[in-house]
């Protein structure tokens, strides 16, 4: 089976610091791939390289068998790759519907939309409501309530719903449970499984080993700017994963 998203020989330097060192990456169709690594291992640079946020100095990125050159996250988004950053990138004062359609608002049909640039609010609200319902997020009663009135878990839910609504090929989640309590984290993990069941592959960057081992199909271990190995969470323990990540234990050759 060919990977849906593939990186080969990705290299990125910032002056004397090498963030990515001839790094390879594979995301298979329909899987949840966790990316783990110590702070400074280059996980963020890897994700930015495949999502258009940074342009690698060398190497190639391939999406669905075709080589792609993203010069910005907008390019990646247009190709079907959505990223939910740790900061969520939301406007707290705007409504849920406005946040879901930020940067891709639907205009009214005909001259009102073209000349007056009026927005088709009913259409945006309907799509937003449908998407939230689809992902079981209708604890949110009012689609027009401001995002700042939501709990942390609900905000994360809206961000994931936005990605699922527009990320047709790949969704990247950066530390989605980092600032959440136990109950809200559980809901977000269920949400990740829901998105996966729709056939959309997910890249999950996380420091939370129990969460990684619960939802990931494979685990990409990143160390010193490159892929150290890829392991199956059913074959290794959390302690093994941490030991590979920190260099305390030799990585398995067959898993690389």
């Amino acid at each position: 089976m060919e990977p849906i998203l593939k990186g080969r020989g990705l290299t990125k330097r910032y002056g004397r610091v090498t963030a990515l060192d001839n790094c390879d990456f594979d995301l298979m169709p329909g899987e949840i791939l966790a990316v783990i690594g110590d702070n400074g291992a280059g996980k963020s640079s890897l994700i930015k390289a495949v999502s258009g946020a940074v342009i690698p100095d060398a190497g190639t990125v391939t999406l669905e068998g075709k080589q792609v050159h993203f010069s910005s996250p907008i390019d990646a988004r247009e190709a079907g790759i959505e990223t939910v950053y740790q900061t969520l990138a939301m406007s707290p004062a705007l409504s849920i519907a406005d946040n879901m359609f930020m940067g891709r608002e639907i205009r009214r049909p005909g001259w009102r939309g073209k000349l007056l640039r009026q927005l088709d609010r009913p259409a945006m609200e309907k799509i937003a409501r449908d998407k939230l319902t689809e992902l079981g997020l209708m604890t949110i009663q009012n689609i027009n309530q401001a995002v700042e009135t939501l709990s942390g878990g609900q905000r994360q839910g809206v961000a994931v719903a936005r990605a699922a609504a527009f990320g047709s090929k790949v969704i990247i989640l950066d530390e989605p449970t980092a600032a959440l309590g136990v109950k809200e984290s559980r809901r977000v993990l269920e949400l990740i499984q829901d998105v996966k069941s729709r056939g959309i592959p997910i890249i999950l960057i996380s420091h939370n080993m129990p969460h990684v081992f619960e939802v990931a199909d494979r685990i990409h271990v990143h160390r010193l700017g490159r892929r150290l190995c890829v392991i199956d969470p059913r074959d290794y323990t959390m302690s093994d994963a941490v030991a590979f990540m920190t260099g305390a234990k030799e990585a398995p050759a067959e898993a690389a």
Side-chain angles (χ1 to χ4, degrees), residues 33-45:
L33 176 74
V35 176
I36 63 169
D38 222 341
N39 288 334
K43 302 188 298 296
S44 296
S45 296

Side-chain angles (χ1 to χ4, degrees), residues 209-248:
M209 287 298 154
H211 292 172
V212 164
F213 271 75
E214 182 179 339
V215 299
D217 298 302
R218 294 186 311 140
I219 300 171
H220 167 121
V221 183
H222 208 71
R223 180 165 161 74
L224 303 176
R226 54 170 54 195
R227 178 170 72 185
L228 178 71
C229 60
V230 178
I231 60 173
D232 187 322
R234 290 166 300 195
D235 299 337
Y236 294 90
T237 65
M238 286 184 224
S239 306
D240 290 334
V242 172
F244 298 146
M245 205 167 85
T246 55

Side-chain angles (χ1 to χ4, degrees), residues 2-256:
E2 261 295 292
I4 183 168
L5 184 64
K6 182 164 82 174
R8 287 293 174 270
L10 295 172
T11 302
K12 182 69 187 172
R13 293 186 186 87
Y14 298 97
R16 293 183 178 182
V17 177
T18 302
L20 287 178
D21 183 13
N22 198 26
C23 168
D24 291 343
F25 176 83
D26 292 296
L27 175 70
M28 305 310 280
E31 76 167 349
I32 297 175
L33 176 74
V35 176
I36 63 169
D38 222 341
N39 288 334
K43 302 188 298 296
S44 296
S45 296
L46 167 63
I47 295 313
K48 285 175 179 170
V50 297
S51 67
V54 303
I55 299 168
D57 301 327
T60 59
V61 176
T62 309
L63 179 65
E64 293 186 315
K66 294 190 190 95
Q67 200 169 317
V68 288
H69 301 278
F70 300 139
S71 55
S72 72
I74 293 169
D75 288 354
R77 193 193 255 186
E78 282 169 1
I81 299 174
E82 280 285 331
T83 307
V84 179
Y85 294 103
Q86 212 171 333
T87 52
L88 298 184
M90 287 195 162
S91 291
L94 293 183
S95 73
I96 295 164
D98 285 340
N99 268 285
M100 281 191 70
F101 280 90
M102 204 188 299
R104 39 186 152 212
E105 292 82 1
I106 301 171
R107 303 216 177 276
R108 287 178 71 157
W111 61 272
R112 282 190 170 146
K114 280 198 180 106
L115 297 177
L116 302 180
R117 301 176 72 79
Q118 287 183 354
L119 300 182
D120 191 342
R121 292 204 167 276
M124 293 195 294
E125 285 167 18
K126 184 184 183 312
I127 294 168
R129 191 177 284 108
D130 288 350
K131 282 291 161 193
L132 293 176
T133 306
E134 223 175 87
L135 290 167
L137 283 165
M138 277 328 284
T139 46
I140 296 163
Q141 302 301 322
N142 179 9
I143 211 77
N144 291 312
Q145 73 187 89
V147 159
E148 64 196 356
T149 64
L150 302 178
S151 69
Q154 286 175 321
R155 287 185 202 198
Q156 188 73 54
V158 170
V160 173
R162 178 174 63 185
F166 301 105
S168 51
K169 291 175 186 159
V170 174
I171 293 178
I172 301 169
L173 300 175
D174 183 10
E175 297 282 359
T177 58
L180 303 181
V182 175
K183 198 174 168 189
E184 297 196 317
S185 294
R186 168 71 28 230
R187 187 67 205 100
V188 170
L189 292 177
E190 285 168 7
L191 204 52
I192 291 169
Q193 300 280 25
D194 284 348
V195 172
K196 182 198 171 187
S197 70
R198 287 172 170 68
I200 304 174
I202 294 168
I203 301 167
L204 171 68
I205 304 116
S206 182
H207 280 102
N208 189 311
M209 287 298 154
H211 292 172
V212 164
F213 271 75
E214 182 179 339
V215 299
D217 298 302
R218 294 186 311 140
I219 300 171
H220 167 121
V221 183
H222 208 71
R223 180 165 161 74
L224 303 176
R226 54 170 54 195
R227 178 170 72 185
L228 178 71
C229 60
V230 178
I231 60 173
D232 187 322
R234 290 166 300 195
D235 299 337
Y236 294 90
T237 65
M238 286 184 224
S239 306
D240 290 334
V242 172
F244 298 146
M245 205 167 85
T246 55
K249 199 171 182 180
E250 190 87 3
E254 77 284 356

